[in-house]
Amino acid sequence: MVLEPKFADYGTINSTGDAQPQRNSPNAFLSPDSIITTLPPLDDEESPNTSKGTAMTQGDLYQRQPLLPAPAKGDRWGQGNRPESRQQYYSASAEDDDDDALDNHESNGVIKISMPPPIREEPRFPQERWKTVIAAIVLFFSFLLTLTALAIVHEKVPDRNVVDPLPDVFLSNVPEMIWGLSVSEYMIIICVASTLIVSVLHKHRFIVFRRLFLILALLYLYRAITMFVTVLPVPSKTYYCSPKTNATSIYEVTKRVIVLFSGMGLSINGKHTYCGDYMYSGHTVILVISCLFISEYTPKKLYLVHWLYYLMALVGVIMLQLGHGHYTLDVIVAYYITTRIFWTYHTLANNSFLKQHSPNNYLGREWWYCLFLYFEGNVTGPIPRQWPNWPLPWPKRCQSKSRES
């Protein structure tokens, strides 16, 4: 038996030994220089030129079939090449590879990088209390301007002893009930108190107050303009109007403004004795804006409460008309302007893409759009209906989580 040199190339299929194999040797399949004379050719190889088979070494056999498993008892090299044997071998090898990969992952110090979940930009609702204070100041000056316009217009109202009320479908056919105006103002007090409670108990109360103040400021500013440019005759024949002084000095106007402001524009306290604020109805503005804010910032499941305030607003307007406090046109215009401003403002506030100047953003052409951007620029989405939310740190039992529905 001739030993194979150390520098033999096991990667070739050519035999390097010249010695002939001993067919009867018991170690023929174990010796590295044993020669297999009856090895059948592989399927993808050409048949040998000789009919006796191909002569190759054990190393050459490993080169040709490197994945063959160790022969089992009673097995031959030729039998290990069966399809079922190959299938069992490859399936076992795949499982071993998976186990080895897991072991390497755990023991070789490989760092497992866990991918974080995708970052989702959540809406932001900053409190911005100073903006709420500024909005309150804007509302104060707008309301003051309305009272100033009324104090001046009072001197321009036509004398009802000379000029009759304008023809009106409702007022001309329904007799005046002076108590109707008082009922309407009591409903206004209830609606205003309810709106303030809803705003205070809302989680984002500063944003809600800011919107309430700014929308009311716009409405009172429009009202000051409309009542000043066109003076309508008094619709009621029994409502008391203070006598005219035929003077509009700064002192007289200031005194009237203080009297009107102390009564908050209501006649039930006896402070609203100046006439001329008809176009458009301030009573209707307060009733409509109250039910809109209550329905917008309270949970949807309180739909019965929403409908109750809608009904209360409707009854308040009807009582106002029964008392001949305003013309029907005043009520219609007040409803239209109030709802348009409220819905326009909230459409802009709830859609971030409308907070950018664009040729196609026609809502951005409102004259108060820049003012809106200042107050709403940092609010990035619709305000959730998280109500109620107790604003004070005491008592503890009131500190429950706000809910949205």
Side-chain angles (χ1 to χ4, degrees), residues 346-355 381-382:
H346 284 78
T347 299
L348 292 170
N350 295 339
N351 296 277
S352 299
F353 64 91
L354 294 178
K355 296 180 180 179

Side-chain angles (χ1 to χ4, degrees), residues 302-322:
L302 300 179
Y303 61 92
L304 293 179
V305 177
H306 301 164
W307 282 107
L308 175 61
Y309 279 92
Y310 287 142
L311 180 61
M312 188 180 299
L314 179 61
V315 172
V317 171
I318 294 175
M319 291 293 106
L320 177 66
Q321 291 296 93
L322 289 177

Side-chain angles (χ1 to χ4, degrees), residues 223-285:
R223 187 166 182 260
I225 295 173
T226 55
M227 75 169 64
F228 183 80
V229 296
T230 302
V231 182
L232 302 179
V234 181
S236 174
K237 296 180 179 181
T238 59
Y239 185 80
Y240 175 77
C241 293
S242 298
K244 300 178 182 179
T245 59
N246 297 323
T248 55
S249 63
I250 298 178
Y251 171 76
E252 184 66 26
V253 171
T254 303
K255 184 177 68 173
R256 292 177 180 179
V257 168
I258 294 174
V259 173
L260 290 170
F261 189 83
S262 62
M264 297 305 296
L266 299 177
S267 60
I268 55 176
N269 50 28
K271 302 294 183 179
H272 194 297
T273 58
Y274 302 99
C275 300
D277 57 336
Y278 300 117
M279 178 60 66
Y280 46 87
S281 172
H283 292 68
T284 306
V285 167

Side-chain angles (χ1 to χ4, degrees), residues 281-339:
S281 172
H283 292 68
T284 306
V285 167
I286 297 300
L287 290 170
V288 173
I289 202 67
S290 297
C291 66
L292 288 176
F293 265 85
I294 291 173
S295 63
E296 178 68 22
Y297 295 106
T298 54
K300 292 183 178 180
K301 65 182 181 180
L302 300 179
Y303 61 92
L304 293 179
V305 177
H306 301 164
W307 282 107
L308 175 61
Y309 279 92
Y310 287 142
L311 180 61
M312 188 180 299
L314 179 61
V315 172
V317 171
I318 294 175
M319 291 293 106
L320 177 66
Q321 291 296 93
L322 289 177
H324 287 203
H326 278 279
Y327 291 103
T328 306
L329 179 62
D330 302 342
V331 174
I332 295 175
V333 173
Y335 169 80
Y336 182 83
I337 295 179
T338 303
T339 53

Side-chain angles (χ1 to χ4, degrees), residues 82-94:
R82 294 179 180 177
E84 58 270 21
S85 300
R86 290 183 180 179
Q87 183 177 2
Q88 295 176 358
Y89 173 75
Y90 286 124
S91 61
S93 299

Side-chain angles (χ1 to χ4, degrees), residues 99-173:
D99 295 338
D100 294 341
L102 183 60
D103 294 338
N104 292 335
H105 174 75
E106 295 177 353
S107 61
N108 291 346
V110 178
I111 300 176
K112 181 180 179 181
I113 301 177
S114 57
M115 297 299 293
I119 299 176
R120 184 174 57 185
E121 186 176 355
E122 297 290 343
R124 296 177 61 250
F125 306 107
Q127 296 185 7
E128 297 179 318
R129 301 180 181 181
W130 69 92
K131 290 186 178 180
T132 304
V133 175
I134 295 175
I137 295 175
V138 173
L139 173 61
F140 173 78
F141 280 102
S142 180
F143 186 66
L144 195 63
L145 182 62
T146 303
L147 298 181
T148 302
L150 175 58
I152 297 175
V153 165
H154 176 72
E155 297 294 330
K156 300 180 180 180
V157 175
D159 188 358
R160 59 184 169 186
N161 296 324
V162 178
V163 179
D164 293 332
L166 296 177
D168 187 280
V169 173
F170 187 90
L171 302 184
S172 300
N173 295 282

